[in-house]
Amino acid sequence: MRAIVIDDSEAIRRILRNMMTAIGFEVIEAKNGRDALDRLATIGCVDVALVDWNMPDLNGYEFVVAVRADPTLNGMRLMMVTSETELQSVAAALNAGADEYVMKPFTKDVILEKLALLGIGQS
Amino acid sequence: MQLYEDDICQVTRTIWSTMLGWEIRRTPLDEAAIASLKERTLSGCVQITGAWEGDVALHCSDSLARKIAALTFGIETDEATLAHARDALGEMANMTGGNVKSLLPAPSSLSLPAVVEGTDYSMRIPVGRLLAQIAFECQGERVLLRLVERDS
Ligand SMILES: [Mg+2]
């Protein structure tokens, strides 16, 4: 299984990478939505993307919209992992095509729980 | 004001314990708290714009920022560079801003975090109205959180 971790904070990418590799994922990192789309164009679709919201260049919401408009990325699961805690934001992300929404700060248990809801990772 | 402060303290405790596993304790905003910030400090700030406009800033010593970085990056404290410290404190400010934003009038949006270095934090005067200024202690060091509402 492959995951892409998209966050402008290297610290958060490191934390999420460690969580995901511990449960058997191969992890690719990207520092914003644009960087992520570039990487996906090279490596192809992955099983799940963990997506921050506030990032320069292309933010997480814009990334979700772009992925859902791209047939080559069809079926990729999208999990927002973000400090954006407003209910309107959660609704907007889910309407745009995100599958799950995790608010920062997050625990490993919450990430695993949400992955299980998506039918991926360990349950 | 009191309501803000209690809620902000709760949000701060949750962020620090969840992300770092550290207890952060509110302390009196006394001379010692201010004095501790006269040394080399880093400040992580985010701006909120929309139905409420202002800034949330987190100030701490360079050494505490490096400890946070070491923990989050999984490296030794003496291996943590200023770049690591800026990244980690910026993200702590981002999380704080996002969670504080949920206590304020909606809708509003959050800026990317900015991290600045300074040697005398107390000399910096925020632009706007200081709504909350809360001192904390964590890992034997001081942390100061400021919520400033921009003048409209
Ligand atoms: Mg971010």
Side-chain angles (χ1 to χ4, degrees), chain A residues 27-65:
Chain A
V27 176
I28 299 104
E29 292 183 28
K31 58 182 189 289
N32 59 53
R34 175 68 49 210
D35 186 24
L37 289 178
D38 289 347
R39 278 167 206 262
L40 291 167
T42 310
I43 63 169
C45 195
V46 298
D47 297 281
V48 63
L50 306 189
V51 190
D52 182 27
W53 188 302
N54 290 304
M55 297 183 285
D57 235 350
L58 193 74
N59 70 32
Y61 175 81
E62 293 162 336
F63 172 80
V64 168
V65 171

Side-chain angles (χ1 to χ4, degrees), chain A:
Chain A
M1 286 179 300
R2 294 194 302 176
I4 186 164
V5 170
I6 314 164
D7 200 299
D8 55 329
S9 165
E10 194 184 347
I12 294 294
R13 294 202 303 272
R14 189 70 63 92
I15 290 169
L16 289 172
R17 167 191 278 273
N18 289 343
M19 286 181 183
M20 297 299 282
T21 51
I23 56 168
F25 277 88
E26 180 193 331
V27 176
I28 299 104
E29 292 183 28
K31 58 182 189 289
N32 59 53
R34 175 68 49 210
D35 186 24
L37 289 178
D38 289 347
R39 278 167 206 262
L40 291 167
T42 310
I43 63 169
C45 195
V46 298
D47 297 281
V48 63
L50 306 189
V51 190
D52 182 27
W53 188 302
N54 290 304
M55 297 183 285
D57 235 350
L58 193 74
N59 70 32
Y61 175 81
E62 293 162 336
F63 172 80
V64 168
V65 171
V67 166
R68 290 310 182 218
D70 183 346
T72 68
L73 299 174
N74 200 2
M76 191 163 89
R77 302 304 198 130
L78 301 176
M79 189 195 296
M80 303 300 293
V81 182
T82 167
S83 304
E84 192 54 68
T85 54
E86 262 174 39
L87 287 177
Q88 290 104 313
S89 304
V90 178
L94 295 175
N95 283 335
D99 298 294
E100 279 297 340
Y101 201 102
V102 175
M103 289 177 190
K104 293 176 181 173
F106 55 84
T107 61
K108 185 177 182 177
D109 287 348
V110 168
I111 298 288
L112 296 183
E113 222 169 81
K114 297 288 187 179
L115 286 173
L117 285 175
L118 294 177
I120 49 180
Q122 296 171 336
S123 51

Side-chain angles (χ1 to χ4, degrees), chain B residues 1-143:
Chain B
M1 173 108 167
Q2 190 58 42
L3 178 69
Y4 277 139
E5 292 197 352
D6 290 347
D7 290 341
I8 292 168
C9 287
Q10 184 55 49
V11 155
T12 305
R13 278 194 294 270
T14 302
I15 292 170
W16 288 63
S17 67
T18 307
M19 296 312 292
L20 308 171
W22 289 347
E23 188 191 354
I24 186 164
R25 213 164 41 81
R26 187 174 185 177
T27 58
L29 184 67
D30 53 16
E31 281 303 309
I34 298 291
S36 69
L37 292 162
K38 288 192 174 178
E39 289 153 29
R40 205 174 138 77
T41 59
L42 285 183
S43 304
C45 315
V46 286
Q47 292 181 348
I48 296 171
T49 49
W52 188 89
E53 305 225 330
D55 303 88
V56 181
L58 214 48
H59 311 273
C60 72
S61 68
D62 176 271
S63 76
L64 181 59
R66 284 177 203 249
K67 283 184 207 169
I68 295 168
L71 189 66
T72 51
F73 281 90
I75 55 179
E76 296 297 324
T77 306
D78 59 8
E79 291 170 346
T81 63
L82 181 59
H84 288 129
R86 295 176 74 103
D87 182 298
L89 186 64
E91 186 56 28
M92 293 298 281
N94 176 50
M95 277 185 256
T96 307
N99 283 273
V100 167
K101 183 162 90 74
S102 67
L103 306 171
L104 298 165
S108 59
S109 53
L110 204 60
S111 73
L112 295 172
V115 178
V116 295
E117 289 171 79
T119 49
D120 188 354
Y121 162 69
S122 65
M123 294 302 288
R124 271 181 255 142
I125 297 157
V127 180
R129 196 162 63 91
L130 188 59
L131 281 192
Q133 178 162 244
I134 309 169
F136 296 93
E137 196 215 288
C138 183
Q139 300 287 302
E141 303 213 43
R142 302 296 188 133
V143 177

